[in-house]
Amino acid sequence: MKNKIFLSLAAAVLISACGLAVKSVDSKDIGLRKTSLESENVELLDAKYSQALAGESVLIERSFENAPPLISHTLEDMLPITKDNNICLSCHDKAVAKDLAATSLPSSHYFDLRKNKSTKDMVSDARFNCTQCHVPQSDAKPLVGNSFEAKFKSEESKKKSNLLDVLNEGVK
């Protein structure tokens, strides 16, 4: 009986000590905003996006193999992308890209991974909203340092996706 009382007291002391040791975290200490999450008075970074027109911009190297390419030109008058209107496809669809000297959508965009079949000449519904993965770049300074170095299988993969080929390779 004495052992049960002693163990109960020891457990109570231990639980109390753990509760005192936990520090509360202020919302200003979470994330990169450094302001209260309840405050909407956030000072936005002064960043400038590319004003180069489509067809006149310089291709940006991918961040890593099969990373979605970054948008190197202005998006002025190109958004929003809707079910009935996707301006991106007027240059990047594989049917016209070569003639316009634009980067063509890769084969992975013409393949439905859920149904495991080609969509032939139609862009997969899952790939239709371009800005879901592709983003414009600004001249904003990084908020935190980054030492990541991408490894590419080939020079070509710095500018071209081979995602469908990689998926078909499987695990080796």
Side-chain angles (χ1 to χ4, degrees):
M1 183 71 174
K2 286 183 180 178
N3 284 341
K4 286 183 181 179
I5 292 173
F6 176 75
L7 288 174
S8 296
L9 286 173
V13 169
L14 180 64
I15 290 171
S16 296
C18 289
L20 294 174
V22 175
K23 288 178 162 181
S24 66
V25 177
D26 192 306
S27 63
K28 287 185 274 186
D29 298 329
I30 300 172
L32 301 174
R33 286 173 56 143
K34 303 303 175 206
T35 186
S36 169
L37 296 177
E38 291 80 25
S39 171
E40 292 301 321
N41 298 323
V42 178
E43 188 174 319
L44 298 176
L45 295 174
D46 183 26
K48 293 180 179 47
Y49 289 89
S50 172
Q51 294 302 307
L53 298 174
E56 297 178 358
S57 61
V58 177
L59 199 62
I60 301 171
E61 189 173 286
R62 291 174 187 250
S63 301
F64 52 88
E65 191 159 326
N66 289 310
L70 303 171
I71 300 171
S72 58
H73 56 75
T74 181
L75 292 178
E76 191 77 31
D77 299 327
M78 295 184 179
L79 299 176
I81 294 170
T82 66
K83 178 182 153 207
D84 299 319
N85 187 27
N86 183 336
I87 297 291
C88 305
L89 295 177
S90 63
C91 293
H92 296 287
D93 187 273
K94 69 180 182 182
V96 297
K98 188 175 181 182
D99 293 338
L100 298 173
T103 301
S104 177
L105 299 180
S107 58
S108 61
H109 286 54
Y110 298 94
F111 193 87
D112 188 330
L113 291 170
R114 290 185 182 139
K115 296 177 181 172
N116 196 29
K117 70 177 191 178
S118 170
T119 57
K120 300 183 180 166
D121 294 332
M122 298 294 296
V123 174
S124 167
D125 291 343
R127 305 295 183 120
F128 190 80
N129 186 0
C130 307
T131 53
Q132 184 173 340
C133 297
H134 305 276
V135 294
Q137 290 299 287
S138 74
D139 63 353
K141 293 180 182 173
L143 297 175
V144 293
N146 184 350
S147 60
F148 174 77
E149 291 183 30
K151 303 280 186 204
F152 294 92
K153 287 182 178 175
S154 67
E155 281 298 310
E156 185 182 20
S157 62
K158 291 180 178 178
K159 296 180 179 176
K160 191 174 181 180
S161 175
N162 63 353
L163 179 61
L164 212 47
D165 296 335
V166 170
L167 291 174
N168 287 329
E169 281 179 8
V171 178
K172 293 182 179 176

